[in-house]
Amino acid sequence: MSKVCPKCGMMNADDRVVCTNCGIVLPAAAPAQTIPNPTQAYAPQPPVQPAPAAPYPSAPIQPKKRYGVLRTVSGIFNILAWLGLIGGVALGLLGSIFGMGEIFRDSVGFGIMGVIFGVIAGVILGLFWFMMFKYSAEMIHLAIDLEENTRRTAEFLEKMK
């Protein structure tokens, strides 16, 4: 035996509390009907018409996206993260190129060390800015997702009552 959803007409298993199609809380199972006594007159009942099925399954209603400003700030932080990484590496390479002139002026070899130091410092600086901006963007997304999931769970629990 199965439960019929009063909203969409979907057949659900007896142990289901929520409709698998539309998510509405299903009514409690009706008590089993007793078999009429054979000595009583039995009048035939008209056949029960099943609820009409929806032509297309209804899509779940998605809540309106909230916190547009925070989403925009997170997007800006993501862009700044990549710009920081690319800019840091580019500045390190530029610094090393300008340090190349020191190779010919210095016979001791500090020019080569300046080139190597410039590249390493640029990469480290670029990675630092990338991680800081990317971390900020991900923390904003985490807070938004946490709020949305909490709200969705509260709505689901309200339907369960």
PDB file of all heavy atoms in Angstrom, residues 106-133:
ATOM      1  N   ASP A 106      79.213  44.603 -11.491  1.00  0.00           N
ATOM      2  CA  ASP A 106      79.752  44.061 -10.250  1.00  0.00           C
ATOM      3  C   ASP A 106      80.534  42.790 -10.563  1.00  0.00           C
ATOM      4  O   ASP A 106      79.987  41.823 -11.053  1.00  0.00           O
ATOM      5  CB  ASP A 106      78.597  43.762  -9.289  1.00  0.00           C
ATOM      6  CG  ASP A 106      79.100  43.430  -7.901  1.00  0.00           C
ATOM      7  OD1 ASP A 106      80.302  43.583  -7.661  1.00  0.00           O
ATOM      8  OD2 ASP A 106      78.264  43.025  -7.075  1.00  0.00           O
ATOM      9  N   SER A 107      81.806  42.812 -10.257  1.00  0.00           N
ATOM     10  CA  SER A 107      82.628  41.639 -10.557  1.00  0.00           C
ATOM     11  C   SER A 107      82.513  40.563  -9.485  1.00  0.00           C
ATOM     12  O   SER A 107      82.914  39.442  -9.705  1.00  0.00           O
ATOM     13  CB  SER A 107      84.094  42.054 -10.704  1.00  0.00           C
ATOM     14  OG  SER A 107      84.539  42.634  -9.496  1.00  0.00           O
ATOM     15  N   VAL A 108      81.938  40.907  -8.326  1.00  0.00           N
ATOM     16  CA  VAL A 108      81.866  39.946  -7.241  1.00  0.00           C
ATOM     17  C   VAL A 108      80.723  38.946  -7.460  1.00  0.00           C
ATOM     18  O   VAL A 108      80.769  37.828  -6.997  1.00  0.00           O
ATOM     19  CB  VAL A 108      81.701  40.674  -5.889  1.00  0.00           C
ATOM     20  CG1 VAL A 108      81.629  39.704  -4.735  1.00  0.00           C
ATOM     21  CG2 VAL A 108      82.822  41.664  -5.686  1.00  0.00           C
ATOM     22  N   GLY A 109      79.666  39.334  -8.180  1.00  0.00           N
ATOM     23  CA  GLY A 109      78.576  38.410  -8.452  1.00  0.00           C
ATOM     24  C   GLY A 109      77.300  38.699  -7.704  1.00  0.00           C
ATOM     25  O   GLY A 109      76.408  37.866  -7.659  1.00  0.00           O
ATOM     26  N   PHE A 110      77.211  39.900  -7.105  1.00  0.00           N
ATOM     27  CA  PHE A 110      75.980  40.241  -6.406  1.00  0.00           C
ATOM     28  C   PHE A 110      74.829  40.484  -7.364  1.00  0.00           C
ATOM     29  O   PHE A 110      73.666  40.426  -6.979  1.00  0.00           O
ATOM     30  CB  PHE A 110      76.179  41.481  -5.524  1.00  0.00           C
ATOM     31  CG  PHE A 110      77.032  41.203  -4.324  1.00  0.00           C
ATOM     32  CD1 PHE A 110      78.274  41.797  -4.184  1.00  0.00           C
ATOM     33  CD2 PHE A 110      76.579  40.339  -3.340  1.00  0.00           C
ATOM     34  CE1 PHE A 110      79.038  41.541  -3.076  1.00  0.00           C
ATOM     35  CE2 PHE A 110      77.353  40.087  -2.230  1.00  0.00           C
ATOM     36  CZ  PHE A 110      78.595  40.688  -2.097  1.00  0.00           C
ATOM     37  N   GLY A 111      75.098  40.743  -8.628  1.00  0.00           N
ATOM     38  CA  GLY A 111      74.043  40.957  -9.617  1.00  0.00           C
ATOM     39  C   GLY A 111      73.214  39.702  -9.824  1.00  0.00           C
ATOM     40  O   GLY A 111      71.992  39.757  -9.924  1.00  0.00           O
ATOM     41  N   ILE A 112      73.849  38.562  -9.882  1.00  0.00           N
ATOM     42  CA  ILE A 112      73.124  37.299 -10.060  1.00  0.00           C
ATOM     43  C   ILE A 112      72.275  37.020  -8.821  1.00  0.00           C
ATOM     44  O   ILE A 112      71.137  36.577  -8.932  1.00  0.00           O
ATOM     45  CB  ILE A 112      74.112  36.144 -10.333  1.00  0.00           C
ATOM     46  CG1 ILE A 112      74.788  36.376 -11.670  1.00  0.00           C
ATOM     47  CG2 ILE A 112      73.396  34.810 -10.300  1.00  0.00           C
ATOM     48  CD1 ILE A 112      75.878  35.398 -11.985  1.00  0.00           C
ATOM     49  N   MET A 113      72.819  37.301  -7.664  1.00  0.00           N
ATOM     50  CA  MET A 113      72.048  37.107  -6.437  1.00  0.00           C
ATOM     51  C   MET A 113      70.831  38.037  -6.410  1.00  0.00           C
ATOM     52  O   MET A 113      69.762  37.659  -5.936  1.00  0.00           O
ATOM     53  CB  MET A 113      72.924  37.357  -5.206  1.00  0.00           C
ATOM     54  CG  MET A 113      74.038  36.346  -5.035  1.00  0.00           C
ATOM     55  SD  MET A 113      73.415  34.669  -4.914  1.00  0.00           S
ATOM     56  CE  MET A 113      72.730  34.724  -3.291  1.00  0.00           C
ATOM     57  N   GLY A 114      70.984  39.255  -6.943  1.00  0.00           N
ATOM     58  CA  GLY A 114      69.861  40.191  -7.010  1.00  0.00           C
ATOM     59  C   GLY A 114      68.761  39.678  -7.923  1.00  0.00           C
ATOM     60  O   GLY A 114      67.578  39.823  -7.625  1.00  0.00           O
ATOM     61  N   VAL A 115      69.164  39.056  -9.049  1.00  0.00           N
ATOM     62  CA  VAL A 115      68.182  38.490  -9.972  1.00  0.00           C
ATOM     63  C   VAL A 115      67.420  37.357  -9.291  1.00  0.00           C
ATOM     64  O   VAL A 115      66.188  37.296  -9.319  1.00  0.00           O
ATOM     65  CB  VAL A 115      68.874  37.991 -11.261  1.00  0.00           C
ATOM     66  CG1 VAL A 115      67.916  37.191 -12.115  1.00  0.00           C
ATOM     67  CG2 VAL A 115      69.449  39.158 -12.039  1.00  0.00           C
ATOM     68  N   ILE A 116      68.133  36.457  -8.659  1.00  0.00           N
ATOM     69  CA  ILE A 116      67.494  35.313  -8.002  1.00  0.00           C
ATOM     70  C   ILE A 116      66.603  35.792  -6.857  1.00  0.00           C
ATOM     71  O   ILE A 116      65.466  35.340  -6.703  1.00  0.00           O
ATOM     72  CB  ILE A 116      68.558  34.316  -7.505  1.00  0.00           C
ATOM     73  CG1 ILE A 116      69.277  33.698  -8.694  1.00  0.00           C
ATOM     74  CG2 ILE A 116      67.941  33.257  -6.615  1.00  0.00           C
ATOM     75  CD1 ILE A 116      70.484  32.869  -8.325  1.00  0.00           C
ATOM     76  N   PHE A 117      67.113  36.726  -6.069  1.00  0.00           N
ATOM     77  CA  PHE A 117      66.319  37.268  -4.970  1.00  0.00           C
ATOM     78  C   PHE A 117      65.064  37.960  -5.480  1.00  0.00           C
ATOM     79  O   PHE A 117      63.984  37.829  -4.903  1.00  0.00           O
ATOM     80  CB  PHE A 117      67.159  38.239  -4.131  1.00  0.00           C
ATOM     81  CG  PHE A 117      66.395  38.878  -3.018  1.00  0.00           C
ATOM     82  CD1 PHE A 117      66.065  38.147  -1.882  1.00  0.00           C
ATOM     83  CD2 PHE A 117      65.973  40.194  -3.113  1.00  0.00           C
ATOM     84  CE1 PHE A 117      65.349  38.730  -0.857  1.00  0.00           C
ATOM     85  CE2 PHE A 117      65.258  40.784  -2.089  1.00  0.00           C
ATOM     86  CZ  PHE A 117      64.935  40.049  -0.959  1.00  0.00           C
ATOM     87  N   GLY A 118      65.163  38.704  -6.567  1.00  0.00           N
ATOM     88  CA  GLY A 118      64.009  39.405  -7.144  1.00  0.00           C
ATOM     89  C   GLY A 118      62.924  38.436  -7.589  1.00  0.00           C
ATOM     90  O   GLY A 118      61.738  38.649  -7.326  1.00  0.00           O
ATOM     91  N   VAL A 119      63.303  37.363  -8.252  1.00  0.00           N
ATOM     92  CA  VAL A 119      62.317  36.377  -8.718  1.00  0.00           C
ATOM     93  C   VAL A 119      61.655  35.696  -7.521  1.00  0.00           C
ATOM     94  O   VAL A 119      60.429  35.566  -7.457  1.00  0.00           O
ATOM     95  CB  VAL A 119      62.984  35.345  -9.659  1.00  0.00           C
ATOM     96  CG1 VAL A 119      62.036  34.205  -9.958  1.00  0.00           C
ATOM     97  CG2 VAL A 119      63.434  36.011 -10.941  1.00  0.00           C
ATOM     98  N   ILE A 120      62.455  35.267  -6.557  1.00  0.00           N
ATOM     99  CA  ILE A 120      61.897  34.568  -5.393  1.00  0.00           C
ATOM    100  C   ILE A 120      60.997  35.503  -4.585  1.00  0.00           C
ATOM    101  O   ILE A 120      59.897  35.113  -4.176  1.00  0.00           O
ATOM    102  CB  ILE A 120      63.026  33.987  -4.522  1.00  0.00           C
ATOM    103  CG1 ILE A 120      63.727  32.851  -5.273  1.00  0.00           C
ATOM    104  CG2 ILE A 120      62.492  33.501  -3.184  1.00  0.00           C
ATOM    105  CD1 ILE A 120      64.960  32.318  -4.583  1.00  0.00           C
ATOM    106  N   ALA A 121      61.437  36.724  -4.365  1.00  0.00           N
ATOM    107  CA  ALA A 121      60.627  37.676  -3.598  1.00  0.00           C
ATOM    108  C   ALA A 121      59.317  37.981  -4.326  1.00  0.00           C
ATOM    109  O   ALA A 121      58.250  38.069  -3.691  1.00  0.00           O
ATOM    110  CB  ALA A 121      61.411  38.963  -3.360  1.00  0.00           C
ATOM    111  N   GLY A 122      59.357  38.116  -5.646  1.00  0.00           N
ATOM    112  CA  GLY A 122      58.134  38.379  -6.408  1.00  0.00           C
ATOM    113  C   GLY A 122      57.150  37.222  -6.321  1.00  0.00           C
ATOM    114  O   GLY A 122      55.942  37.438  -6.151  1.00  0.00           O
ATOM    115  N   VAL A 123      57.650  36.005  -6.426  1.00  0.00           N
ATOM    116  CA  VAL A 123      56.767  34.834  -6.339  1.00  0.00           C
ATOM    117  C   VAL A 123      56.168  34.726  -4.944  1.00  0.00           C
ATOM    118  O   VAL A 123      54.963  34.480  -4.787  1.00  0.00           O
ATOM    119  CB  VAL A 123      57.534  33.550  -6.731  1.00  0.00           C
ATOM    120  CG1 VAL A 123      56.736  32.316  -6.385  1.00  0.00           C
ATOM    121  CG2 VAL A 123      57.885  33.570  -8.210  1.00  0.00           C
ATOM    122  N   ILE A 124      56.974  34.930  -3.928  1.00  0.00           N
ATOM    123  CA  ILE A 124      56.466  34.846  -2.550  1.00  0.00           C
ATOM    124  C   ILE A 124      55.432  35.939  -2.289  1.00  0.00           C
ATOM    125  O   ILE A 124      54.372  35.684  -1.709  1.00  0.00           O
ATOM    126  CB  ILE A 124      57.622  34.910  -1.539  1.00  0.00           C
ATOM    127  CG1 ILE A 124      58.448  33.626  -1.611  1.00  0.00           C
ATOM    128  CG2 ILE A 124      57.102  35.143  -0.120  1.00  0.00           C
ATOM    129  CD1 ILE A 124      59.711  33.649  -0.790  1.00  0.00           C
ATOM    130  N   LEU A 125      55.726  37.161  -2.730  1.00  0.00           N
ATOM    131  CA  LEU A 125      54.789  38.261  -2.541  1.00  0.00           C
ATOM    132  C   LEU A 125      53.488  38.003  -3.305  1.00  0.00           C
ATOM    133  O   LEU A 125      52.387  38.221  -2.783  1.00  0.00           O
ATOM    134  CB  LEU A 125      55.421  39.580  -3.002  1.00  0.00           C
ATOM    135  CG  LEU A 125      54.612  40.839  -2.735  1.00  0.00           C
ATOM    136  CD1 LEU A 125      54.435  41.033  -1.230  1.00  0.00           C
ATOM    137  CD2 LEU A 125      55.280  42.037  -3.355  1.00  0.00           C
ATOM    138  N   GLY A 126      53.587  37.511  -4.540  1.00  0.00           N
ATOM    139  CA  GLY A 126      52.387  37.194  -5.319  1.00  0.00           C
ATOM    140  C   GLY A 126      51.554  36.112  -4.666  1.00  0.00           C
ATOM    141  O   GLY A 126      50.324  36.207  -4.603  1.00  0.00           O
ATOM    142  N   LEU A 127      52.197  35.080  -4.149  1.00  0.00           N
ATOM    143  CA  LEU A 127      51.472  34.005  -3.463  1.00  0.00           C
ATOM    144  C   LEU A 127      50.810  34.505  -2.184  1.00  0.00           C
ATOM    145  O   LEU A 127      49.697  34.094  -1.847  1.00  0.00           O
ATOM    146  CB  LEU A 127      52.411  32.844  -3.149  1.00  0.00           C
ATOM    147  CG  LEU A 127      52.791  31.959  -4.330  1.00  0.00           C
ATOM    148  CD1 LEU A 127      53.852  30.950  -3.912  1.00  0.00           C
ATOM    149  CD2 LEU A 127      51.579  31.257  -4.885  1.00  0.00           C
ATOM    150  N   PHE A 128      51.495  35.403  -1.480  1.00  0.00           N
ATOM    151  CA  PHE A 128      50.927  35.957  -0.264  1.00  0.00           C
ATOM    152  C   PHE A 128      49.632  36.713  -0.561  1.00  0.00           C
ATOM    153  O   PHE A 128      48.606  36.486   0.094  1.00  0.00           O
ATOM    154  CB  PHE A 128      51.937  36.894   0.423  1.00  0.00           C
ATOM    155  CG  PHE A 128      51.355  37.647   1.575  1.00  0.00           C
ATOM    156  CD1 PHE A 128      51.155  37.029   2.796  1.00  0.00           C
ATOM    157  CD2 PHE A 128      50.993  38.973   1.431  1.00  0.00           C
ATOM    158  CE1 PHE A 128      50.613  37.723   3.865  1.00  0.00           C
ATOM    159  CE2 PHE A 128      50.443  39.672   2.494  1.00  0.00           C
ATOM    160  CZ  PHE A 128      50.249  39.046   3.715  1.00  0.00           C
ATOM    161  N   TRP A 129      49.673  37.614  -1.555  1.00  0.00           N
ATOM    162  CA  TRP A 129      48.471  38.382  -1.883  1.00  0.00           C
ATOM    163  C   TRP A 129      47.374  37.487  -2.440  1.00  0.00           C
ATOM    164  O   TRP A 129      46.194  37.684  -2.158  1.00  0.00           O
ATOM    165  CB  TRP A 129      48.784  39.506  -2.859  1.00  0.00           C
ATOM    166  CG  TRP A 129      49.493  40.630  -2.171  1.00  0.00           C
ATOM    167  CD1 TRP A 129      50.770  41.032  -2.354  1.00  0.00           C
ATOM    168  CD2 TRP A 129      48.951  41.459  -1.141  1.00  0.00           C
ATOM    169  NE1 TRP A 129      51.068  42.065  -1.506  1.00  0.00           N
ATOM    170  CE2 TRP A 129      49.953  42.354  -0.748  1.00  0.00           C
ATOM    171  CE3 TRP A 129      47.722  41.549  -0.513  1.00  0.00           C
ATOM    172  CZ2 TRP A 129      49.764  43.318   0.230  1.00  0.00           C
ATOM    173  CZ3 TRP A 129      47.531  42.509   0.467  1.00  0.00           C
ATOM    174  CH2 TRP A 129      48.552  43.379   0.827  1.00  0.00           C
ATOM    175  N   PHE A 130      47.754  36.468  -3.212  1.00  0.00           N
ATOM    176  CA  PHE A 130      46.768  35.523  -3.742  1.00  0.00           C
ATOM    177  C   PHE A 130      46.048  34.815  -2.590  1.00  0.00           C
ATOM    178  O   PHE A 130      44.821  34.736  -2.563  1.00  0.00           O
ATOM    179  CB  PHE A 130      47.456  34.494  -4.647  1.00  0.00           C
ATOM    180  CG  PHE A 130      46.522  33.430  -5.153  1.00  0.00           C
ATOM    181  CD1 PHE A 130      45.681  33.695  -6.216  1.00  0.00           C
ATOM    182  CD2 PHE A 130      46.490  32.181  -4.565  1.00  0.00           C
ATOM    183  CE1 PHE A 130      44.816  32.727  -6.695  1.00  0.00           C
ATOM    184  CE2 PHE A 130      45.629  31.204  -5.028  1.00  0.00           C
ATOM    185  CZ  PHE A 130      44.785  31.483  -6.095  1.00  0.00           C
ATOM    186  N   MET A 131      46.808  34.325  -1.623  1.00  0.00           N
ATOM    187  CA  MET A 131      46.198  33.594  -0.512  1.00  0.00           C
ATOM    188  C   MET A 131      45.322  34.503   0.350  1.00  0.00           C
ATOM    189  O   MET A 131      44.241  34.094   0.784  1.00  0.00           O
ATOM    190  CB  MET A 131      47.278  32.932   0.352  1.00  0.00           C
ATOM    191  CG  MET A 131      47.929  31.748  -0.322  1.00  0.00           C
ATOM    192  SD  MET A 131      49.047  30.791   0.721  1.00  0.00           S
ATOM    193  CE  MET A 131      50.168  32.025   1.316  1.00  0.00           C
ATOM    194  N   MET A 132      45.747  35.737   0.586  1.00  0.00           N
ATOM    195  CA  MET A 132      44.961  36.635   1.429  1.00  0.00           C
ATOM    196  C   MET A 132      43.619  36.978   0.782  1.00  0.00           C
ATOM    197  O   MET A 132      42.566  36.910   1.416  1.00  0.00           O
ATOM    198  CB  MET A 132      45.732  37.931   1.720  1.00  0.00           C
ATOM    199  CG  MET A 132      46.887  37.762   2.676  1.00  0.00           C
ATOM    200  SD  MET A 132      46.334  37.236   4.307  1.00  0.00           S
ATOM    201  CE  MET A 132      46.898  35.572   4.328  1.00  0.00           C
ATOM    202  N   PHE A 133      43.636  37.346  -0.497  1.00  0.00           N
ATOM    203  CA  PHE A 133      42.385  37.703  -1.163  1.00  0.00           C
ATOM    204  C   PHE A 133      41.500  36.474  -1.386  1.00  0.00           C
ATOM    205  O   PHE A 133      40.286  36.531  -1.240  1.00  0.00           O
ATOM    206  CB  PHE A 133      42.661  38.406  -2.503  1.00  0.00           C
ATOM    207  CG  PHE A 133      43.073  39.841  -2.342  1.00  0.00           C
ATOM    208  CD1 PHE A 133      44.281  40.291  -2.843  1.00  0.00           C
ATOM    209  CD2 PHE A 133      42.248  40.752  -1.699  1.00  0.00           C
ATOM    210  CE1 PHE A 133      44.658  41.613  -2.708  1.00  0.00           C
ATOM    211  CE2 PHE A 133      42.617  42.080  -1.556  1.00  0.00           C
ATOM    212  CZ  PHE A 133      43.827  42.507  -2.060  1.00  0.00           C
TER     213      PHE A 133
END
